[in-house]
């Protein structure tokens, strides 16, 4: 097992209520089997969401996970999962290991991971995330994404000032595009419950698809009060990193829909959460952990596997803000869609020269 740190600068930093990202300082996790197959995935450290750092991910993979996992086979994924679960936290490190193992399994069997998981469709509609800026710049960014990539679903980051800024952005987008686009908002816990309730009332005429994590789930009663009065699905994202969290938040009335992120629950954990959500009758959105192309290919491979995960546009475009990436064949968004690979495994290949250039351990 290898954990390789790499850094790729963003062309345009992404800013949101809980943080901002200027450089993708991720960790590439590779697993090698005895018969020479290499499985690959990436872990994005998000200290503002999960408390993980690049150094911490490398350390937990090399010092704790590797001794527990080396020697097991690719078919013992539940054993691997149980051993890794003894370590608290570290969601993206665990997820990257899980997905690298699935990648190796798919390559060993000569089958795409999407087909192994469920094989529902060959494509996902793409939603683009609009980070903080002034209203005119955010409208211009959305127009560029529509013109260049055919994207017509936008997630608008809110959670600054509701009146006079956040609401103005959403209204400017609706005025500019009319009914041609789908819009939803993500507060990253930046508003209070009362601010959220007022903002949602003021945006009542804007036809929002969803509202996501507008206020903190830790504001237990405030959040329940808010979710009970708004009439669009309320997505829990960073408040539901595990299946148990999904159960707790949904049954307590603190959310009515969920975001699944393969970056934090891998394929094995995401599949469990998907089945749970299906049983509970929840809407699912495939979310983005500000993934690069490796992480986006993982989210796409999972989202395309099931009906409920491919129904809405998935957040699969953040890699467009990065100056470069590691894939030999870059992902291409066309007419608003990303098509999943038909190759074995997750379906991408790392360009060795690019990895040499961006890795930070040599
Ligand atoms: Mg979110």
């Amino acid at each position: 097992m290898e954990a390789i740190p790499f850094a790729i600068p963003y062309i345009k930093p992404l800013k949101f209520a809980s943080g901002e990202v200027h450089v993708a300082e991720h960790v590439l996790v590779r697993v090698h089997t005895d018969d020479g197959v290499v499985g690959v995935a990436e872990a994005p450290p998000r200290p503002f969401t999960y408390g993980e750092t690049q150094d911490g991910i490398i350390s937990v993979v090399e010092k704790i996970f590797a001794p527990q996992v080396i020697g097991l086979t690719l078919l013992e994924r539940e054993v691997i999962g149980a051993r890794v679960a003894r370590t608290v936290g570290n969601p993206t490190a665990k997820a990257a290991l899980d997905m690298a193992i699935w990648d190796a399994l798919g390559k060993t069997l000569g089958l795409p991971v999407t087909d192994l998981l469920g094989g529902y469709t060959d494509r996902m509609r793409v939603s683009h995330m609009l980070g903080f800026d002034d209203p005119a710049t955010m409208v211009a960014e959305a127009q560029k994404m529509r013109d260049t990539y055919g994207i017509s679903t936008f997630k608008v980051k809110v959670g600054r000032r509701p009146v006079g800024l956040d609401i103005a952005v959403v209204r400017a987008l609706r005025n500019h595009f009319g009914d041609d686009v789908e819009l939803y908002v993500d507060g990253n816990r930046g508003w209070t419950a009362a601010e959220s309730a007022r903002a949602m009332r003021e945006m009542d005429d804007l036809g929002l698809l969803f509202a996501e994590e507008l206020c903190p789930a830790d504001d237990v009663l405030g959040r329940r009060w808010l979710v009970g009065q708004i009439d669009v699905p309320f997505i829990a994202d960073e408040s539901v990193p595990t299946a148990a969290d999904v159960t707790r938040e949904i049954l307590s009335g603190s959310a009515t829909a969920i975001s699944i992120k393969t970056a934090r629950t891998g394929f094995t954990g995401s599949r469990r959460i998907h089945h749970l959500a299906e049983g509970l009758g929840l809407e699912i959105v495939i979310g983005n952990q500000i993934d690069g192309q490796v992480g986006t290919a993982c989210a796409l491979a999972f989202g395309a596997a099931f009906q409920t995960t491919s129904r809405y546009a998935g957040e699969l475009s953040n890699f467009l803000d990065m100056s470069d990436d590691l894939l030999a064949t870059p992902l291409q968004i066309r007419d608003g869609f990303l098509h999943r690979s038909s190759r074995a495994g997750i379906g991408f290949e790392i360009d060795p020269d690019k990895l040499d250039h961006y890795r930070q351990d040599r």
Side-chain angles (χ1 to χ4, degrees), residues 85-299:
R86 292 174 193 157
T87 302
V88 171
N90 294 283
T92 75
K94 291 172 181 170
L97 173 61
D98 176 73
M99 294 189 290
I101 289 168
W102 275 93
D103 187 40
L105 179 67
K107 286 170 174 164
T108 301
L109 298 173
L111 290 169
V113 164
T114 299
D115 290 335
L116 290 172
L117 288 166
Y120 183 72
T121 181
D122 64 351
R123 72 196 73 179
M124 289 275 292
R125 211 149 50 84
V126 174
S127 144
H128 184 69
M129 199 184 287
L130 298 168
F132 288 170
D133 218 317
D134 60 82
T137 308
M138 290 172 74
V139 169
E141 159 90 356
Q143 184 65 52
K144 190 182 91 185
M145 289 295 151
R146 190 151 166 71
D147 293 343
T148 313
Y149 302 104
I151 294 174
S152 58
T153 302
F154 296 99
K155 164 149 118 176
V156 187
K157 289 292 197 184
V158 297
R160 293 178 281 184
R161 239 181 327 113
V163 176
L165 185 54
D166 293 318
I167 296 170
V169 170
V170 184
R171 195 165 290 285
L173 285 161
R174 185 55 85 204
N175 286 344
H176 181 78
F177 289 106
D179 290 332
D180 287 348
V181 298
E182 293 178 326
L183 298 173
Y184 58 113
V185 290
D186 181 3
N188 292 107
R189 301 158 280 144
W191 289 339
T192 65
E195 285 173 334
S196 306
R198 181 177 170 197
M200 289 304 290
R201 273 199 305 278
E202 291 194 19
M203 294 190 288
D204 199 31
D205 59 325
L206 298 180
L208 295 179
L209 193 60
F210 305 113
E212 177 172 327
E213 297 280 11
L214 298 180
C215 66
D218 283 351
D219 177 5
V220 179
L221 293 181
R223 174 85 165 240
R224 208 179 292 178
W225 168 82
L226 170 69
V227 172
Q229 65 184 280
I230 65 176
D231 61 1
V232 296
F234 191 97
I235 299 174
D237 172 13
E238 55 265 44
S239 61
V240 293
T242 69
D245 293 317
V246 172
T247 311
R248 201 174 296 122
E249 294 306 309
I250 296 297
L251 294 188
S252 73
S254 186
T256 47
I258 58 160
S259 174
I260 290 183
K261 291 181 172 171
T262 50
R264 71 175 168 227
T265 39
F267 294 140
T268 305
S270 296
R271 184 168 61 171
R272 283 193 162 87
I273 289 175
H274 161 267
H275 290 333
L276 172 66
E278 197 173 58
L280 289 167
L282 306 176
E283 311 240 48
I284 298 170
V285 173
I286 292 295
N288 194 308
Q289 203 62 68
I290 324 174
D291 301 302
Q293 293 195 25
V294 174
T296 303
C298 291

Side-chain angles (χ1 to χ4, degrees), residues 28 40-42 292-299 325-327 346 348 350:
L28 199 71
V40 190
E42 74 173 354
Q293 293 195 25
V294 174
T296 303
C298 291
D325 222 300
L326 299 181
L327 299 199
I346 297 166
F348 61 82
I350 299 293

